[in-house]
Amino acid sequence: MAADLFDAIVKGDEDFVRDLIDRRPESAEERDAEGVSAVRRAVYAGQDGIAKVLLDANPALDVFDAAATGRSRGLEELLEAEPALAVAWSTDGFTPLHLAAYLGQEEAAELLIARGADVNAVARNETLHVAPLHSAAAGGHAKIVAILLEHGADPNSRQGGGFTPLHAAAQNGDRESVEALLESGADPAAANDEGKTPGELARAAGHDVSDELLS
């Protein structure tokens, strides 16, 4: 049954998930082979409707689920009970701060940082060797980019492929993040492993706004 649930999440079959949860509410607490909850898998897939169906069943959320969904009250309760959760690692290689940063959960990100989360932690995921700042820039969350920089995030940190946060912000045409990164010392001349600078990625994506700052 768990396999059917996760298959439906991937396919975006909200009706199947709703019917399953109506019949078996406990299914909302299922986890996949990686140990990722159904709620978080739905959020990863951008299936907000399915995530809501699952959350409405009131499953127990771990620190990663709470960070990813922005359930700040539950997150705070978890951190109060076990402060070390602020620097815990998920089974798929992320800290709660990575998830809050990528998914735009500003309040959760601020709470985690206040509780000691490492703003420069590098994901242990097999393919995504990102810091929270890469996650926020990739997700286009300028406010979280600014928060992370204010708390010491390295603007020139490299993820797989040699990409810096500035590469992601420039490619997305995210002027606010580009400005914040440059003000914090991001190197506009930094090249990724393919020799591309942030400005070149901005131009290739047709983002004139970012290109103005990176020329």
Side-chain angles (χ1 to χ4, degrees):
M1 190 62 69
D4 292 339
L5 171 60
F6 286 97
D7 185 53
I9 290 171
V10 171
K11 292 178 179 177
D13 190 343
E14 186 173 333
D15 290 338
F16 177 91
V17 175
R18 189 182 302 279
D19 179 66
L20 175 62
I21 298 304
D22 283 345
R23 291 184 288 106
R24 299 181 62 244
E26 67 274 14
S27 296
E29 299 199 8
E30 293 282 5
R31 293 181 177 271
D32 66 13
E34 282 189 277
V36 176
S37 70
V39 168
R40 189 146 42 96
R41 191 58 75 188
V43 173
Y44 285 176
Q47 299 292 348
D48 295 339
I50 291 177
K52 185 178 185 305
V53 170
L54 295 167
L55 288 168
D56 285 348
N58 198 31
L61 302 180
D62 63 21
V63 68
F64 308 105
D65 300 330
T69 58
R71 297 297 176 100
S72 297
R73 180 175 296 180
L75 178 61
E76 187 168 15
E77 291 174 354
L78 288 166
L79 295 173
E80 286 283 354
E82 192 173 346
L85 289 175
V87 292
W89 290 95
S90 67
T91 54
D92 54 343
F94 302 105
T95 67
L97 184 56
H98 280 95
L99 300 175
Y102 182 66
L103 295 163
Q105 306 297 354
E106 183 179 341
E107 188 175 347
E110 291 182 315
L111 176 59
L112 287 160
I113 292 170
R115 296 303 181 93
D118 182 0
V119 297
N120 288 307
V122 177
R124 298 172 178 174
N125 184 278
E126 290 183 6
T127 56
L128 300 175
H129 302 293
V130 295
L133 188 58
H134 295 111
S135 300
H141 305 301
K143 290 185 178 179
I144 298 180
V145 166
I147 290 167
L148 291 166
L149 290 169
E150 288 169 7
H151 288 86
D154 180 1
N156 291 302
S157 59
R158 300 272 184 161
Q159 68 176 87
F163 289 86
T164 68
L166 189 57
H167 281 95
Q171 190 168 40
N172 288 342
D174 182 355
R175 185 187 183 103
E176 189 175 347
S177 290
V178 167
E179 290 177 339
L181 287 160
L182 290 172
E183 288 172 4
S184 295
D187 181 6
N192 64 17
D193 290 353
E194 295 180 349
K196 302 294 186 181
T197 66
E200 288 172 324
L201 293 183
R203 286 190 292 274
H207 296 307
D208 295 334
V209 173
S210 291
D211 185 45
E212 290 173 7
L213 298 171
L214 298 165
S215 57

